[in-house]
Amino acid sequence: MLDVVNEDLIREGKEPIAFDHDCREGICGMCSAVINGVPHGGFERTTVCQLHMRKFKDGDTLYIEPWRARAFPILRDLVVDRGTLDRLIQAGGYISCHTGGVPDGNALPISKGGADYAMDAAQCIGCGACVAACPNGAAMLFVGAKVAHLAVLPQGQVEAPERVAEMIQAMRDCGFGNCSNHYECEAVCPKGISVKFIAKLNREFLKALILAKTGPFKSSD
Amino acid sequence: MILDGKAPTGPIETTWERHRSDMKLVNPANKRKYRILVVGTGLAGASAAATLGELGYNVEAFCYQDSPRRAHCIAAQGGINAAKNYPNDGDSVFRLFYDTIKGGDFRAREADVWRLAQVSNNIIDQCVAQGVPFARDYGGHLETRSFGGAQVSRTFYARGQTGQQLLLGAYSALSRQIRAGTVKMYPRTEMLDLVVVNGEAKGITLRDLITGEVRCHAGDAVVLCSGGYVNVFHLSTNAMGCSVTAMWKAYKKGAFLANPCYTQVHPTCIPQAGEYQSKLTLMSESLRNDGRCWVPRKREDVGKPPDAIPEDDRDYFLERKYPSYGNLAPRDVASRAVKEQCDDGRGVGPTGRGVYLDFKDAIRRLGEHELRERYGNLFEMYERITDEDAYKVPMRIYPAPHYAMGGLWVDYNLMSNIPGLFVLGEANFSVHGANRLGASALMQGLADGYFVIPYTIADYLARTKPGKVTASHPECRKSIEDVKAQAKRLLSVRGDRSVTDFKRELGNLMWHNCGMLRSNKSLSEALSTIPAIKEEFWQRVRVPGTSAEFNPQLENAGRAADFIEFAELLCRDALHRDESCGGHFRVEHQYEDGEARRNDARFCYSAAWEYKGEGAPPELHKEPLRFEHVHLMVRSYK
């Protein structure tokens, strides 16, 4: 739809609207717009790029705005800078393993339930709608999904306490807020990622506190 | 010129081991003195940047998206092949090698394909270690499924989002190196020129897409992982931003472009619905494991609802034509069969360009729950786009351009003919021949990035002195001026037609004249039309805004200009290859049953084209293909 608007604007000699988009299949996470007050438009498990005009009535007025969050400065029109999400992952959202020199893929059996749980969390597309929908501008669904995905897998458990501690610290440093249980994030998530992962994040954080990897009793080792 | 791929000779089983021990190494303390520029951060780029950074090189990585996690590999659904033989169904490195060579219709270099099959197993191990949540059975072991062109079950998957999970694995490895400071990441930048100094690739010129700043980054080697070019067709399954630009700029600086006519059309895409549509969406090939393709046997049944057509009046054409592979016939073969049915007037759906992909039998056999488990997200995606519930009515599918087998020419070390320019993943031409098998693209991207480039780039760097060229070199300054001049030229046309308009015109021409079926006539016609489109583009295109700002229209205009020039080369290559092979189907060359007829006596080579300047015809170089471990034969899936 925005393509068509832009085509018209160009024909009329006006500036087209800048907006982020790429795969148009709802998987790359590039598209980002608040439609009628709701990130991605408010249709269940749907990104903006997969939101069809047939969902609206002829003559409806659409209000289109960029993501709103302190951690996502606006670059132009509907385009925001989501570099902070990358910084959260860089803070520890990975398993440290060198290329080569890893054991056979079947060496470590992983329960089907565990693999499914990890996959439920891992399908996050990193669009940032959860942040945009949160009244606190929190990225806890995003961080929770990554922490949970890696913490449930045996190969991710080695670094689990450090990971959660560092990602939470980065969350603070990047200007994201904290969760106060509005559940707006789950409601707008195009992948339907559950807030149960925020609960998992909190439990993992508690473990890190007890292990003195973070907080007032953080040990220096 | 006869090109040499420099593949090692001797027993193929040990080529890669022998080659690895012959190559030079760079000592760990010296590695940090070398700067490597990696363009593109899909599977190939992210895995290469992460691995090279981990080894201690100074890496700079670039992508046009706002984050390296968004490359279009993310949209790959079905899976990744590996010769693990976990199901004990007779798989081996040789079989994967053989299937890939045969799948590519005998138009790829043997040694490269062998290496790919060999390292495929390491990829699975690596991804598991990174935490990629592959599907597991109840015993906790890895699950596999079948894909087109293979009779074994060797495809590993993570629901219908395998590409996403593998990319996020590579992205996590990359993120770790960014944090460690070995990789510097530049998102929202687009490479617009290759800097060649004394015949060697020593830098790139890019445009910062936010500020519009044009600058040059110098390095000791350039690794191009910029993906494929099928957006040259109107409506492909590629992302909107996928372009030929990086590849084309390298070509114009002397890199050979090989086999551009090998493009893949994927049989299972959601059919086009309207004029305004901007792209097509793929439905994973894995669906053909359980879905059955059919069309009404009688033309008068076409308009009826599928339920009203009795079993006997349905033509399961893939099963009929290819009994041994059935619905899992390879992509090129299946696509042409689909087109054949529609051309015969038996296509279904509002446009008549579609066939049914029916899951009724699978639901009866496995139950809806099991199907949901296997393909849930794909069915959901289908419903979102078409507003139809595929658990109740059959899906409708039609072929769409999907992948480019052709690309920049590289030798066995993945180095192009320009020393210092390495090309990885879809951007190179190396392993898929004239047709790629399903679940092999992910495999190739990661094989090149994790397990090939770390070895072969050292062999080049060990022979060069680090830091020879800096961004103040005259060649770099000239390159910046050239890039700025191009932007200025695009902005100064101030015509009356939008970039999209031209892109659509070119893409439609390419699809109709150089798509699934090509002929001498259609290609000659395209070759005479393209120069006119080009001329009109430079007279009538309208690019709003300026170059010193965030300007997506300017980006698109640059990409479209390159696509127009590239389209001509693609058609030229397709016209010169007077045979049918894999995805390149010349109607003049087919067997009586409509299968592709190769001409090994004349065309058993890779065609690498060299740029000879504006207006001059490109020069053709040939790399002869030798088959010592598989026999050249008619590719049959019957």
Side-chain angles (χ1 to χ4, degrees):
Chain A
M1 196 277 294
L2 279 169
D3 286 339
V4 179
V5 173
N6 276 348
E7 286 285 280
D8 289 347
L9 287 173
I10 294 168
R11 227 167 284 134
E12 290 164 22
K14 294 181 187 153
E15 286 276 307
I17 304 161
F19 67 105
D20 266 335
H21 62 95
D22 202 25
C23 78
R24 305 227 171 159
E25 301 184 11
I27 189 76
C28 77
M30 188 93 172
C31 63
S32 52
V34 176
I35 316 274
N36 292 342
V38 187
H40 287 313
F43 293 89
E44 205 186 332
R45 305 182 63 152
T46 304
T47 55
V48 176
C49 68
Q50 294 276 286
L51 181 59
H52 290 258
M53 291 309 287
R54 62 170 178 259
K55 299 279 185 193
F56 303 99
K57 284 196 288 292
D58 201 10
D60 277 0
T61 304
L62 300 185
Y63 294 87
I64 307 177
E65 301 162 83
W67 274 178
R68 287 172 290 189
R70 187 165 48 159
F72 296 159
I74 290 179
L75 294 172
R76 175 163 191 174
D77 300 347
L78 297 172
V79 180
V80 298
D81 179 0
R82 286 169 288 189
T84 42
L85 293 181
D86 287 329
R87 273 167 60 199
L88 293 178
I89 298 296
Q90 286 155 19
Y94 49 76
I95 291 171
S96 301
C97 62
H98 283 279
T99 303
V102 297
D104 185 88
N106 257 348
L108 198 62
I110 295 169
S111 74
K112 185 174 185 313
D116 284 348
Y117 177 90
M119 185 63 211
D120 285 343
Q123 56 181 323
C124 167
I125 59 172
C127 62
C130 48
V131 181
C134 179
N136 308 330
M140 283 185 63
L141 190 64
F142 176 83
V143 173
K146 187 46 68 187
V147 163
H149 157 212
L150 298 177
V152 74
L153 297 172
Q155 58 272 49
Q157 277 157 10
V158 181
E159 301 168 283
E162 288 85 358
R163 176 182 306 120
V164 68
E166 285 168 342
M167 288 184 81
I168 296 254
Q169 184 60 45
M171 224 165 71
R172 246 183 253 163
D173 297 344
C174 291
F176 291 105
N178 276 309
C179 175
S180 50
N181 296 319
H182 289 265
Y183 293 6
E184 292 289 342
C185 51
E186 180 183 299
V188 299
C189 176
K191 292 293 153 189
I193 292 176
S194 159
V195 289
K196 75 179 180 195
F197 297 118
I198 297 184
K200 174 77 174 165
L201 172 69
N202 288 331
R203 286 201 300 280
E204 288 294 317
F205 187 65
L206 197 60
K207 273 197 248 172
L209 273 175
I210 293 166
L211 291 168
K213 298 291 181 189
T214 184
F217 306 112
K218 185 179 175 188
S219 59
S220 53
D221 58 84
Chain B
M1 183 166 70
I2 299 294
L3 283 171
D4 180 10
K6 299 194 197 98
T9 49
I12 199 160
E13 295 79 3
T14 56
T15 40
W16 179 229
E17 279 79 7
R18 281 181 288 121
H19 188 67
R20 279 197 306 187
S21 39
D22 286 347
M23 279 186 291
K24 286 185 180 295
L25 298 170
V26 177
N27 124 16
N30 284 342
K31 284 199 178 90
R32 73 179 87 95
K33 296 178 188 159
Y34 290 97
R35 183 173 305 276
I36 301 172
L37 310 176
V38 179
V39 181
T41 53
L43 287 179
S47 59
T51 306
L52 295 171
E54 190 179 281
L55 286 170
Y57 296 106
N58 250 309
V59 179
E60 292 183 358
F62 308 86
C63 69
Y64 74 82
Q65 299 92 344
D66 73 332
S67 160
R69 67 180 292 153
R70 308 207 196 280
H72 200 54
C73 307
I74 207 157
Q77 299 164 349
I80 176 164
N81 286 332
K84 284 283 196 187
N85 194 27
Y86 284 156
N88 198 26
D89 58 357
D91 202 4
S92 63
V93 169
F94 180 81
R95 270 195 204 276
L96 177 52
F97 157 75
Y98 178 82
D99 287 346
T100 309
I101 289 274
K102 178 186 167 192
D105 217 353
F106 305 91
R107 288 293 176 261
R109 205 185 282 145
E110 272 190 340
D112 293 47
V113 178
W114 183 275
R115 175 175 63 192
L116 174 71
Q118 204 174 3
V119 302
S120 68
N121 290 339
N122 304 62
I123 297 172
I124 301 301
D125 302 341
Q126 190 63 35
C127 294
V128 168
Q130 288 168 347
V132 170
F134 283 122
R136 303 245 168 196
D137 61 21
Y138 283 101
H141 298 112
L142 292 161
E143 279 266 32
T144 51
R145 59 186 171 201
S146 306
F147 250 61
Q151 288 179 315
V152 292
S153 177
R154 63 159 74 101
T155 306
F156 295 80
Y157 63 99
R159 287 192 199 144
Q161 288 129 289
T162 318
Q164 181 201 25
Q165 293 309 314
L166 296 177
L167 182 64
L168 292 182
Y171 163 74
S172 73
L174 176 64
S175 297
R176 178 169 161 251
Q177 294 309 314
I178 294 173
R179 181 189 191 183
T182 59
V183 179
K184 178 110 181 62
M185 183 70 222
Y186 296 91
R188 292 203 198 258
T189 54
E190 184 175 22
M191 167 179 160
L192 292 176
D193 197 16
L194 178 73
V195 178
V196 179
V197 178
N198 297 329
E200 299 192 45
K202 288 295 167 202
I204 61 166
T205 300
L206 55 81
R207 182 169 174 271
D208 182 318
L209 300 183
I210 300 295
T211 61
E213 183 201 359
V214 175
R215 60 174 192 266
C216 187
H217 288 243
D220 300 292
V222 177
V223 182
L224 209 61
C225 316
S226 55
Y229 51 74
V230 289
N231 264 348
V232 70
F233 300 103
H234 179 49
L235 300 184
S236 81
T237 66
N238 277 193
M240 302 303 286
C242 295
S243 77
V244 75
T245 291
M247 201 189 272
W248 192 247
K249 302 301 185 192
Y251 166 76
K252 284 186 133 180
K253 282 296 173 82
F256 297 166
L257 221 162
N259 303 333
C261 77
Y262 294 160
T263 52
Q264 178 164 77
V265 172
H266 196 296
T268 49
C269 300
I270 301 175
Q272 185 182 356
E275 238 340 86
Y276 285 132
Q277 198 165 335
S278 57
K279 73 168 298 239
L280 292 168
T281 301
L282 179 83
M283 287 281 105
S284 168
E285 178 159 307
S286 60
L287 291 170
R288 287 195 276 143
N289 266 301
D290 291 309
R292 299 177 69 196
C293 290
W294 66 275
V295 287
R297 206 176 280 282
K298 300 183 221 142
R299 278 190 206 123
E300 55 269 28
D301 282 349
V302 162
K304 291 184 189 167
D307 271 355
I309 301 170
E311 197 61 32
D312 285 348
D313 287 340
R314 298 177 176 195
D315 179 11
Y316 293 92
F317 56 95
L318 286 175
E319 294 165 39
R320 168 172 59 81
K321 291 179 64 139
Y322 310 102
S324 67
Y325 281 75
N327 290 296
L328 283 176
R331 293 175 176 177
D332 54 336
V333 174
S335 293
R336 281 195 291 272
V338 169
K339 181 171 165 39
E340 190 182 273
Q341 309 307 314
C342 297
D343 289 348
D344 192 34
R346 293 182 295 139
V348 296
T351 56
R353 307 310 292 177
V355 302
Y356 291 123
L357 180 63
D358 201 333
F359 294 89
K360 208 173 62 197
D361 293 341
I363 291 175
R364 204 175 300 142
R365 184 166 40 113
L366 303 162
E368 196 175 311
H369 176 78
E370 176 64 27
L371 223 59
R372 231 174 251 283
E373 184 98 327
R374 288 187 192 175
Y375 314 110
N377 68 318
L378 300 173
F379 277 62
E380 216 173 84
M381 197 154 130
Y382 183 80
E383 183 172 3
R384 192 154 303 133
I385 293 172
T386 62
D387 225 2
E388 286 175 3
D389 180 359
Y391 294 105
K392 299 204 172 69
V393 293
M395 285 184 183
R396 285 174 297 109
I397 52 155
Y398 195 70
H402 176 58
Y403 187 86
M405 280 77 69
L408 292 174
W409 183 87
V410 289
D411 62 15
Y412 187 68
N413 285 340
L414 301 183
M415 187 160 83
S416 72
N417 57 303
I418 301 178
L421 175 67
F422 292 81
V423 190
L424 274 54
E426 192 179 351
N428 75 26
F429 87 117
S430 66
V431 290
H432 302 302
N435 172 58
R436 177 174 68 76
L437 290 182
S440 286
L442 302 180
M443 172 170 71
Q444 187 212 350
L446 291 179
D448 289 358
Y450 283 135
F451 298 112
V452 180
I453 191 74
Y455 296 93
T456 59
I457 205 167
D459 190 53
Y460 166 76
L461 291 175
R463 298 161 209 268
T464 58
K465 214 169 139 250
K468 268 197 297 199
V469 175
T470 61
S472 56
H473 192 281
E475 278 298 329
C476 296
R477 288 210 298 270
K478 180 176 175 300
S479 170
I480 291 175
E481 290 315 310
D482 291 348
V483 168
K484 284 184 177 166
Q486 156 106 347
K488 208 169 155 194
R489 206 174 143 213
L490 284 166
L491 288 162
S492 62
V493 179
R494 297 241 155 253
D496 58 349
R497 284 182 64 186
S498 71
V499 174
T500 316
D501 209 16
F502 280 103
K503 188 71 219 319
R504 194 178 295 135
E505 183 184 352
L506 176 77
N508 277 328
L509 175 77
M510 292 302 284
W511 179 233
H512 292 120
N513 289 38
C514 193
M516 269 190 277
L517 304 181
R518 301 158 178 185
S519 68
N520 193 325
K521 184 170 163 285
S522 75
L523 293 167
S524 310
E525 192 183 285
L527 277 169
S528 64
T529 315
I530 294 168
I533 297 180
K534 185 176 171 184
E535 202 183 313
E536 188 164 339
F537 178 85
W538 287 105
Q539 279 169 4
R540 289 185 58 189
V541 72
R542 178 165 191 91
V543 187
T546 67
S547 63
E549 61 178 340
F550 184 69
N551 189 346
Q553 291 295 325
L554 178 63
E555 297 163 28
N556 288 339
R559 292 168 195 158
D562 292 333
F563 269 129
I564 294 172
E565 294 182 8
F566 168 74
E568 197 173 337
L569 184 71
L570 200 164
C571 291
R572 189 184 287 273
D573 185 47
L575 183 64
H576 122 278
R577 190 165 284 277
D578 198 13
E579 65 161 352
S580 292
C581 59
H584 170 64
F585 194 83
R586 288 282 299 263
V587 293
E588 301 96 334
H589 303 286
Q590 50 181 311
Y591 291 99
E592 275 148 27
D593 56 1
E595 301 301 320
R597 185 194 279 270
R598 281 199 328 265
N599 184 343
D600 291 329
R602 282 184 63 206
F603 292 103
C604 197
Y605 61 80
S606 297
W609 299 89
E610 182 185 2
Y611 182 65
K612 287 301 208 183
E614 184 78 40
E619 187 182 342
L620 172 64
H621 302 287
K622 297 177 182 176
E623 183 199 336
L625 295 168
R626 283 179 210 91
F627 292 94
E628 288 163 4
H629 301 86
V630 292
H631 294 293
L632 276 166
M633 53 171 209
V634 176
R635 177 170 164 247
S636 165
Y637 290 96
K638 294 198 168 173

